[in-house]
Amino acid sequence: MSDDGSKEMVETVDVSPRDPDVPQAPGADVFRQLLHQAVRVADMANSQAMRMALDFAKVYEREQGVRKEFENQLKQMTLMEKQATRYAEDLAGMLRSERERRQELERALAQERIASEDLRRTGLQGISHLVLAATIKDRTTGTHLQRVRRYVEAIAERLGLPASLVEEYGYSSVMHDVGKIHTPDHILQSEHHLSDAEFTVIKQHCIDGEKMLGTARFFETAREIAREHHERWDGKGYPDGKKGAAISLAARIVSVADVFDALTSKRPYKEAWSAEAGLEAIEAGAGERFDPEIVAGFIALAKEGVLERISSEVAASEDDGHPGTPAK
Ligand SMILES: [Fe+2]
């Protein structure tokens, strides 16, 4: 039975208490009771339907809320996903450009290495030209330079210097006397004791050598050596009277090697000293003319036979056709 039907029945059927003065048709009370029951059942059904409808409305409303919340979360997740995708793309872009920059840098470094090697080769060619000029000028210079270079490298190694410095000190040492190109032949090759005026001219070779070696980084150590190889540990040398550690280490090493080789070589004005006599003179100069630590290293090299081996090897290379005067 529909709600409208039951309402219509309630409205159209009179269920008011019976008038005792009106005669009743047989079975009327039973019908009335049945009708009352039917109306109550209809009311109950109606109430239950209303409750169910209300419950359904509440459930529907709650589900709608959950759905909206879910949709909001979905929107947020979609937004976050887009942001994450953008970040990932940005990051990938940054990594890509970083990789490109690194590759570019590596290319530049490789070119720099090639250029540096070219420069080094050019520098070494420059050295050989300078040394050749000095060799032509001063007949004693050829093998003297080879031995000085080898002594310098041996001392530098013994002092524990890195291989790159050992090499740099070695090739720079051969230029220590390049300034002598400017020294007049009659002074350079004089077999007599030099006058004060002549000695002043000789001293100039340190300053001229430094100037000749220009300003390139490649010749920095060579310039120091050219300028300072006649300075003395006690400050009594020339051309600047520098003292102790104020003299560059390279020049202090060259000083020992150069003097030892000059003493043990034949020169226009003297015979060659023996290695023992040369070493004694070097040892006597420790703390005065020479850095005592370098002298100690040099003496140790002599005791180990290193100096003798170097001298023999240079002499052997001279026998192969190289010009110069062998050491004794
Ligand atoms: Fe010199």
Side-chain angles (χ1 to χ4, degrees):
M1 186 189 293
S2 72
D3 288 350
D4 291 345
S6 65
K7 193 175 178 188
E8 192 182 342
M9 281 185 74
V10 172
E11 284 175 352
T12 54
V13 177
D14 182 7
V15 294
S16 58
R18 178 178 66 85
D19 186 348
D21 298 331
V22 178
Q24 292 293 306
D29 284 341
V30 175
F31 175 73
R32 197 181 298 274
Q33 283 170 0
L34 286 172
L35 194 58
H36 269 295
Q37 279 179 354
V39 168
R40 267 201 309 276
V41 167
D43 280 347
M44 283 167 64
N46 192 31
S47 300
Q48 199 171 358
M50 285 298 288
R51 270 199 306 277
M52 285 173 67
L54 285 172
D55 285 350
F56 177 77
K58 279 180 190 168
V59 168
Y60 181 75
E61 194 179 359
R62 200 162 51 236
E63 280 184 355
Q64 285 295 97
V66 168
R67 190 172 65 84
K68 274 186 184 166
E69 199 176 327
F70 177 73
E71 279 175 358
N72 282 339
Q73 283 183 356
L74 197 65
K75 271 185 198 165
Q76 280 184 346
M77 282 174 70
T78 308
L79 198 67
M80 282 167 68
E81 190 186 354
K82 277 183 185 167
Q83 281 179 340
T85 305
R86 207 163 45 240
Y87 288 151
E89 283 171 358
D90 287 351
L91 194 65
M94 280 165 66
L95 284 172
R96 207 162 37 242
S97 59
E98 179 61 30
R99 194 163 52 238
E100 283 168 4
R101 247 202 320 274
R102 202 179 62 228
Q103 284 171 348
E104 207 170 301
L105 196 66
E106 280 170 0
R107 270 198 300 276
L109 276 174
Q111 284 177 345
E112 172 67 23
R113 267 197 295 275
I114 293 167
S116 174
E117 187 50 38
D118 282 351
L119 195 67
R120 184 183 148 79
R121 208 170 297 128
T122 309
L124 289 170
Q125 277 178 353
I127 292 172
S128 65
H129 292 152
L130 280 170
V131 171
L132 181 65
T135 306
I136 292 167
K137 176 93 175 173
D138 180 355
R139 284 167 296 166
T140 62
T141 306
T143 48
H144 166 64
L145 291 180
Q146 288 182 52
R147 283 188 300 272
V148 167
R149 177 179 188 159
R150 297 282 306 276
Y151 294 153
V152 165
E153 287 171 347
I155 296 169
E157 249 179 40
R158 180 152 201 102
L159 292 177
L161 299 183
S164 59
L165 265 190
V166 171
E167 189 193 17
E168 187 176 330
Y169 282 17
Y171 73 66
S172 298
S173 71
V174 300
M175 292 171 271
H176 69 275
D177 270 340
V178 287
K180 282 186 177 173
I181 290 170
H182 288 302
T183 312
D185 283 355
H186 72 274
I187 297 177
L188 201 59
Q189 294 171 14
S190 170
E191 296 185 17
H192 306 102
H193 187 73
L194 295 174
S195 69
D196 287 349
E198 287 171 332
F199 194 57
T200 302
V201 174
I202 280 278
K203 285 180 182 175
Q204 187 62 27
H205 82 276
C206 303
I207 296 160
D208 290 343
E210 184 192 29
K211 277 185 194 159
M212 283 172 64
L213 292 166
T215 55
R217 159 73 192 92
F218 189 82
F219 291 118
E220 191 179 336
T221 301
R223 282 193 295 276
E224 287 177 346
I225 292 172
R227 178 92 190 191
E228 300 173 344
H229 70 281
H230 287 291
E231 297 291 359
R232 292 172 50 119
W233 184 253
D234 59 11
K236 294 178 183 169
Y238 66 86
D240 303 307
K242 285 186 183 173
K243 194 174 180 180
I247 308 161
S248 69
L249 177 61
R252 278 180 271 149
I253 293 174
V254 170
S255 173
V256 171
D258 183 32
V259 170
F260 175 76
D261 197 70
L263 293 175
T264 54
S265 298
K266 185 178 184 311
R267 289 288 162 93
Y269 50 88
K270 72 166 192 65
E271 288 303 312
W273 292 19
S274 68
E276 290 73 24
L279 280 172
E280 273 176 30
I282 295 292
E283 205 165 8
E288 292 179 4
R289 182 164 186 170
F290 309 116
D291 177 343
E293 197 183 332
I294 293 170
V295 170
F298 195 67
I299 299 293
L301 287 171
K303 284 179 180 164
E304 291 162 11
V306 176
L307 303 185
E308 198 177 352
R309 178 167 54 79
I310 289 173
S311 181
S312 303
E313 285 172 3
V314 172
S317 75
E318 186 204 12
D319 291 344
D320 290 343
H322 292 88
T325 305
K328 297 280 169 69

